[in-house]
Amino acid sequence: MDTELLHRIQFGLTISFHFIFPPMSLGLGLILIIFGVQSVRTKDPKWRQLSLFWTKIYGLVFAMGIASGIVQEFQFGTNWSVYSRFVGNIFGSLLAAEGIFAFMLEGGFLGLMLFGGSRLGNRLWLFATTMVVVGATFSATWIVMANSWMQTPGGYEIKDVGQGDQAFMTSFREVVFTPSFGPRIWHTLVASWMVGASLVLSVAAYYLLKKRFVEQAKTMIRVALPIFTVLAILQVTVFGANMATEVATNQPEKLAAMEGVYYTGDCVPMTIFGITNTGTDTTKGLQIPCMLSILVGKSPSTTVQGLTSFPQDDWSNVNVVFHVYHVMINLGMLFILIGVVASGLWWWKRKLWDKRWMLRVLVASIVLTQLATLSGWWTAEFGRQPWIVWNLLRTDGAQSPNVTFSQVATSLGMFVLLYAVLLVTFLILLNKKIKAGLPDMPDEDEHESLPDSFGEIFSRRPRAHSREKAEV
Amino acid sequence: MWLNTTWFVLYVVIIGGYVILDGFDLGVGILSPFVAKDDRERRVVLNSIGPVWDGNEVWLVLGGGALFAAFPLVYASLFSGFYMAMMLVLLVLITRTVAVEFRSQRESARWRSTFDWFFFASSFGITLLLGVALGNVIRGLPIDAQGNMSLNLLDLLNPYSLALGVTGVVMLSLHGGIFLTLKVEDPILERVTRLIPKLMVAFFVLMTATIGWTLLLDTPITTNYSDRIWIAVFPVLALVAAVVGWRFIRAQQYLQAFLASATMIALLMGAVAAGLYPILLHSSTDSANDLTITNAASAEPTLMVMFVIAMIGIPFVLLYTAGVYYFFRGKVVLDDESY
C-alpha cells in the first residue's frame, strides 16, 4: 500500500464521519425554525415544548459536527501540502470566508440558542435559532462552493512563481459561481433538509410505536412528513435531474462512470439495478431504454459520451462510483415511496397513527437518509478521481511529500479509534435523550417573563429572573 | 505590498483574538480540578464558559482558514511539517469539545469524573502544544528550498519551546483565573483568589526568563529588535499592562483586571509579531528559504477579495460577540440547559 492511498483513506474517513452531522443540523434547524415560528404565532406552549426537546438534540448533533469539523480546516495543510500550495489562492479564500461569515455567526449565537430555553422569550429564541441556522446554511454554501471549484474550476490562471504551479484568481465571481455550484448547492441543501425531517419522523414514529408523547409525536409528524414528501419528490425530479445535466455537461467521464456507460451513443439506457464490469466494458441489469439520454438532454436522441472515449488513465474507479451512485438514486426513489405512502395513510382517515409497519419504516428512515447523503457525497468525490482538482491536478502527487507512511498510519489509527468511540458515545447519548422524552409542558407565566426584545435584554438587571428563582 | 502587511497584521489580530478569547476558557479548564471540589462546583466552573467557549474556538478555525487564504505556502509547510504535532492538537481539540458536551449528560460519577479529567487534560494539552508550536516558529525551522521540512514530534520538544509552552500554560491559567472571578461565588471564588497571586508570581518569573532566552537565541527576532528599537514598546507596554492588572486584582476590580490581562496578551503577541515581521516562518537551514509575507502570500487579487470580506465580516463578528458576552454577564446560575 502506498502513502497516497493512506492519505486518501484518512481524508475519506474523517470527512465522511463529519458529513454525518452537518446535514442533520441543517435539516433539524429548519424544523426548529418552524416550531419557533409556530410558538410566536400561536403562543401554544406545545411548540415551545417541542423546541426545548429538539434544541437539546440539536446541541448534541452540533457538538459532534464541531468536533469532527475542526479537523477539516487543518488537514489540507497536514496531508495535502502540494494541493494546498496549488489551490491556496482560491480554495483557501473560500474556507476563510466560510470561517468569518458562517462559523462566527454559528459560534456567536449557538450559546444563545442552546441556553435560550430558560433565558429567552419565544421571539428572541427564534431569532437566535434562525441566526445559527443561517450560519450553518452559509457554511454549507461556502463549502459546496469550494468543492465545486475542485469539480469544475473557473476564474483562475496557472502560473509558477517559484514554488511550483499555483492557481491564481482572475475573477472572484467565476471562482464562486462555477458551473456546478448552483445545481450542487440546491441538491445538498434539499438532501440535508430531508435528513433533518427524517430524524424528526423517526423519533416521532418511535414514540407512536411506544405510545408515549402521542400528541406531540403527531404534531412532529404533521410538520416533518409534508416537508419530507415534497422534498423527496423535488429532489429526484428537479434537483437530482439538474445534477445529471450538469455532470453530463461539465464532467462527462464522471457521468459515464456513474451510469456505467462505456460507449458513446444516443438513446442510452439508464440502469436501475445492475453490475458493471470494467474488464468487458459492459453494464448489465434492469435498464430503462433511452432514459439517460432523456435525463441529460430532454430527448432520446441526446448523445451521451462513454468511458472509452476518454483515456483509461483518467477513469475513476468505475465499480465504486457506479455502485455508490446507484445506492443514492435508489434510496431517492424509495424516499418518494415512503413519503407518498405515509402521507396517503395520514390523509386517509389518519390511519398512519396505528399502521405499525409504516411507523417502523419511518423509524428506519434516518438511517436511510444518512446512507443516501453519504453515498451522494462519495459519488461526487470518487467520481472526481483521479483528479483532486478536475483536469488540473492529480490526487496522486498532491499529498504532503514530507509526511511518512508510518506517520499517516499512526494518525489514521488514531482517527479510527477516536471516531469509533465518539460514534458509539453519540448514539448512546442520543438514545438516552430520545428515551428520556420531552420535558414537561413549559409554564406560560414563566417563559413570558423572559426577555423577548432587544430593549428588554439591555435594560434588565443582570440575571434578575434566575436570581429570584434561585432564592425561592 | 500594503495588502501583504495588512494581512500580516490581520493574521496576528486573529491569533491574538484566539489567545485572548479561547485563552481564558482554556485557562478555566486547566484550573478546574484545582478550584472546584464537588460535582456542583465543577458544573459551575464548566458553565462559566458554557455559552461562549464554542464561539471562542472559532477564532482558531478562522486562523487556519485565513492562513490558508492569505499565506498558503505557510499553511502547507507549517502543518505538513508539524504533522504529528498537528494530529495531537486535533486529538485534544476534539476531546475537549466532546468533554464539554458529554460531561453532564449522565448522572454516573465515574462518567463525570472521566470527562472532567478529559476537560482538564485537553485544555492543558492544547495550551502546551500551541505554546510549543509558537516556540518552534520563533526558534526557526529546517525549511528546505521547496518549503518542506521533516520533523518528528521529539524535534519539536526542545527545551526552549517547552519553556514557552509552560509559560503559556501559566499565562492562560492566570487569564482564566481572573475570568473565573467574574463568574463564580464562594467557595470557588475564594480558592481562585488565593491562587491568582501565586500564578502571577510564577508568570512574572517564567515570562522574564522566556523573554531573556528568546533574545539570547540567534534568530531574526534578536536582530530585528536591535535594528528597530522602537518595537520594544510592545514588551514594555505588556509589562505596564501586567502591573496595572496586578493593581486591579489587589483592588478586587476584576473586570478591569481581566481587560488588562487581555491587553497584556495582545501586546505580547504584538511583541513576537513585530520581532518576526516580515518573516512568517524562519528557516534555520538557510535564510533564503524563509517564508515571508511576500514570497509565501497569495497574489494581490486574492488578498484584496479577502480584505473586503474581512472588512465586511469583522464588524458583525465584533458586534455579536460583544452582544453575547453582555447577555451572559454576571455569575453562573445552573439550570436545565446547563452543561
Side-chain angles (χ1 to χ4, degrees):
Chain A
M1 199 178 340
D2 61 0
T3 316
E4 184 238 349
L5 185 61
L6 271 193
H7 279 290
R8 285 183 62 191
I9 293 172
Q10 177 170 317
F11 195 90
L13 172 83
T14 52
I15 203 127
S16 299
F17 183 75
H18 176 58
F19 198 56
I20 295 173
F21 305 101
M24 258 200 288
S25 39
L26 270 173
L28 196 50
L30 179 74
I31 307 262
L32 276 169
I33 290 180
I34 297 175
F35 290 163
V37 168
Q38 289 295 76
S39 252
V40 172
R41 219 170 52 87
T42 65
K43 299 209 162 45
D44 185 340
K46 77 169 180 187
W47 295 109
R48 198 172 167 98
Q49 184 191 18
L50 289 175
S51 301
L52 284 168
F53 172 73
W54 281 107
T55 300
K56 287 200 169 185
I57 293 190
Y58 188 92
L60 186 62
V61 172
F62 205 93
M64 293 294 290
I66 299 169
S68 56
I70 200 151
V71 179
Q72 315 308 329
E73 198 77 21
F74 298 96
Q75 68 174 343
F76 299 105
T78 52
N79 294 68
W80 303 94
S81 65
V82 172
Y83 165 80
S84 299
R85 290 192 186 104
F86 184 83
V87 300
N89 273 264
I90 290 168
F91 191 86
S93 4
L94 299 176
L95 281 199
E98 181 193 22
I100 201 152
F101 289 134
F103 293 154
M104 282 292 185
L105 195 60
E106 291 175 288
F109 285 93
L110 185 71
L112 278 179
M113 175 189 180
L114 298 184
F115 290 78
S118 52
R119 286 180 174 79
L120 294 173
N122 287 332
R123 275 187 298 160
L124 272 190
W125 195 19
L126 172 62
F127 173 73
T129 304
T130 309
M131 284 298 118
V132 174
V133 176
V134 167
T137 312
F138 279 170
S139 170
T141 310
W142 286 101
I143 213 69
V144 171
M145 250 173 212
N147 186 268
S148 297
W149 191 85
M150 294 165 74
Q151 305 279 354
T152 53
Y156 66 90
E157 58 179 342
I158 309 282
K159 276 193 299 196
D160 183 346
V161 289
Q163 301 276 353
D165 277 348
Q166 283 184 275
F168 289 98
M169 195 184 284
T170 53
S171 155
F172 186 61
R173 199 180 52 80
E174 284 170 39
V175 161
V176 166
F177 298 107
T178 56
S180 64
F181 168 65
R184 296 182 83 233
I185 182 65
W186 281 110
H187 187 57
T188 311
L189 285 178
V190 169
S192 303
W193 294 331
M194 285 174 67
V195 174
S198 71
L199 178 65
V200 175
L201 284 178
S202 165
V203 172
Y206 167 81
Y207 286 148
L208 286 176
L209 284 171
K210 295 278 169 194
K211 307 231 182 312
R212 298 175 64 198
F213 310 108
V214 171
E215 281 315 305
Q216 292 93 331
K218 287 179 181 174
T219 309
M220 291 181 211
I221 289 186
R222 278 188 212 106
V223 171
L225 186 58
I227 295 179
F228 181 81
T229 311
V230 171
L231 291 180
I233 295 168
L234 291 178
Q235 184 71 305
V236 171
T237 56
V238 180
F239 301 109
N242 274 347
M243 280 297 299
T245 322
E246 181 274 309
V247 176
T249 319
N250 300 307
Q251 298 172 294
E253 46 277 61
K254 189 182 190 177
L255 184 83
M258 283 154 63
E259 292 283 3
V261 178
Y262 291 89
Y263 298 101
T264 306
D266 53 12
C267 195
V268 177
M270 186 168 154
T271 309
I272 303 297
F273 303 102
I275 48 163
T276 189
N277 186 332
T278 46
T280 58
D281 290 355
T282 49
T283 300
K284 293 201 185 79
L286 175 62
Q287 297 182 319
I288 309 176
C290 301
M291 190 61 200
L292 188 60
S293 288
I294 296 173
L295 188 65
V296 167
K298 314 279 177 280
S299 137
S301 58
T302 311
T303 307
V304 175
Q305 276 185 283
L307 280 165
T308 49
S309 59
F310 302 99
Q312 195 148 7
D313 234 20
D314 292 351
W315 291 16
S316 53
N317 188 329
V318 178
N319 265 306
V320 174
V321 177
F322 178 86
H323 288 293
V324 292
Y325 167 72
H326 279 88
V327 168
M328 177 191 72
I329 51 163
N330 286 315
L331 283 170
M333 310 280 192
L334 181 64
F335 296 147
I336 298 185
L337 186 69
I338 293 176
V340 167
V341 172
S343 304
L345 286 169
W346 175 42
W347 279 111
W348 186 41
K349 300 186 193 160
R350 303 291 181 257
K351 277 178 186 294
L352 176 61
W353 309 142
D354 24 64
K355 287 278 181 264
R356 297 184 70 82
W357 60 271
M358 189 68 228
L359 293 175
R360 288 205 184 94
V361 171
L362 291 181
V363 170
S365 67
I366 179 62
V367 180
L368 300 177
T369 48
Q370 282 289 356
L371 185 60
T373 46
L374 278 174
S375 10
W377 196 248
W378 290 333
T379 307
E381 297 297 273
F382 280 116
R384 196 193 58 230
Q385 304 300 333
W387 304 99
I388 194 164
V389 181
W390 189 252
N391 285 347
L392 294 181
L393 186 68
R394 286 191 176 254
T395 312
D396 190 5
Q399 72 273 22
S400 307
N402 47 338
V403 176
T404 63
F405 183 87
S406 63
Q407 286 179 323
V408 194
T410 312
S411 59
L412 177 60
M414 176 192 95
F415 280 119
V416 169
L417 274 177
L418 180 67
Y419 285 179
V421 173
L422 283 189
L423 189 62
V424 170
T425 318
F426 168 74
L427 291 176
I428 291 173
L429 292 177
L430 185 65
N431 186 46
K432 182 180 163 256
K433 278 191 192 305
I434 293 168
K435 289 230 165 94
L438 276 71
D440 294 335
M441 188 75 89
D443 177 7
E444 250 176 283
D445 296 337
E446 194 177 303
H447 75 77
E448 280 189 3
S449 69
L450 294 172
D452 206 16
S453 70
F454 291 112
E456 284 172 73
I457 284 192
F458 291 102
S459 61
R460 90 204 153 104
R461 287 185 39 216
R463 310 291 284 278
H465 168 72
S466 313
R467 280 268 171 84
E468 281 158 29
K469 232 171 55 180
E471 278 158 22
V472 174
Chain B
M1 184 60 203
W2 68 273
L3 267 172
N4 298 53
T5 302
T6 307
W7 267 103
F8 180 83
V9 173
L10 276 175
Y11 193 68
V12 176
V13 169
I14 293 171
I15 296 301
Y18 173 72
V19 179
I20 290 169
L21 291 173
D22 212 31
F24 76 72
D25 68 53
L26 290 167
V28 167
I30 299 169
L31 289 182
S32 59
F34 305 105
V35 298
K37 297 298 175 194
D38 59 26
D39 182 59
R40 204 198 67 86
E41 290 179 8
R42 295 244 158 90
R43 285 191 67 197
V44 168
V45 168
L46 181 58
N47 280 284
S48 71
I49 60 166
V52 294
W53 69 272
D54 166 58
N56 296 342
E57 202 179 273
V58 173
W59 287 79
L60 181 65
V61 175
L62 189 60
L67 190 62
F68 198 174
F71 306 108
L73 303 186
V74 176
Y75 174 84
S77 299
L78 185 66
F79 292 169
S80 64
F82 281 8
Y83 187 80
M84 284 318 290
M86 280 304 295
M87 292 298 135
L88 271 184
V89 169
L90 293 175
L91 176 70
V92 281
L93 281 169
I94 295 174
T95 312
R96 186 164 187 269
T97 306
V98 295
V100 173
E101 184 63 34
F102 289 177
R103 190 236 172 240
S104 298
Q105 301 266 8
R106 293 179 68 160
E107 296 293 332
S108 144
R110 239 184 84 190
W111 172 279
R112 290 188 167 189
S113 61
T114 306
F115 282 106
D116 282 336
W117 191 86
F118 278 137
F119 178 53
F120 160 74
S122 55
S123 303
F124 180 85
I126 294 169
T127 314
L128 186 71
L129 282 167
L130 294 181
V132 168
L134 181 64
N136 281 290
V137 169
I138 292 176
R139 272 178 90 232
L141 295 156
I143 303 169
D144 66 20
Q146 280 72 47
N148 292 322
M149 50 184 164
S150 300
L151 288 162
N152 58 44
L153 209 49
L154 289 175
D155 298 330
L156 297 176
L157 297 177
N158 46 71
Y160 171 77
S161 305
L162 277 171
L164 201 70
V166 172
T167 311
V169 168
V170 175
M171 179 176 85
L172 294 190
S173 304
L174 178 62
H175 190 49
I178 301 173
F179 175 78
L180 267 182
T181 58
L182 302 168
K183 289 285 166 185
V184 297
E185 288 162 302
D186 284 335
I188 313 174
L189 180 61
E190 201 237 317
R191 289 187 205 117
V192 177
T193 44
R194 256 189 296 145
L195 214 52
I196 284 177
K198 291 176 193 158
L199 286 169
M200 195 87 197
V201 172
F203 171 68
F204 262 121
V205 173
L206 282 168
M207 190 44 99
T208 316
T210 342
I211 290 176
W213 197 340
T214 309
L215 293 175
L216 288 176
L217 293 174
D218 179 25
T219 67
I221 294 197
T222 328
T223 1
N224 282 342
Y225 265 91
S226 54
D227 285 356
R228 22 184 149 113
I229 192 73
W230 65 271
I231 57 175
V233 294
F234 284 104
V236 169
L237 285 178
L239 180 68
V240 173
V243 172
V244 169
W246 176 243
R247 292 187 64 103
F248 281 128
I249 290 170
R250 292 282 295 273
Q252 299 193 330
Q253 287 170 309
Y254 292 121
L255 181 62
Q256 287 87 335
F258 180 72
L259 295 176
S261 172
T263 312
M264 182 200 72
I265 293 173
L267 288 164
L268 286 174
M269 300 301 295
V272 176
L276 281 171
Y277 181 86
I279 296 170
L280 288 157
L281 284 186
H282 169 56
S283 170
S284 53
T285 45
D286 181 354
S287 59
N289 300 339
D290 284 357
L291 295 177
T292 69
I293 63 161
T294 39
N295 72 9
S298 283
E300 199 209 317
T302 299
L303 293 180
M304 194 63 203
V305 165
M306 291 308 303
F307 178 68
V308 172
I309 286 175
M311 288 305 108
I312 299 170
I314 288 173
F316 283 101
V317 171
L318 294 179
L319 185 70
Y320 48 69
T321 306
V324 167
Y325 275 85
Y326 183 80
F327 181 77
F328 287 106
R329 72 195 182 280
K331 304 285 182 185
V332 175
V333 179
L334 295 177
D335 58 38
D336 288 352
E337 283 162 333
S338 302
Y339 285 115

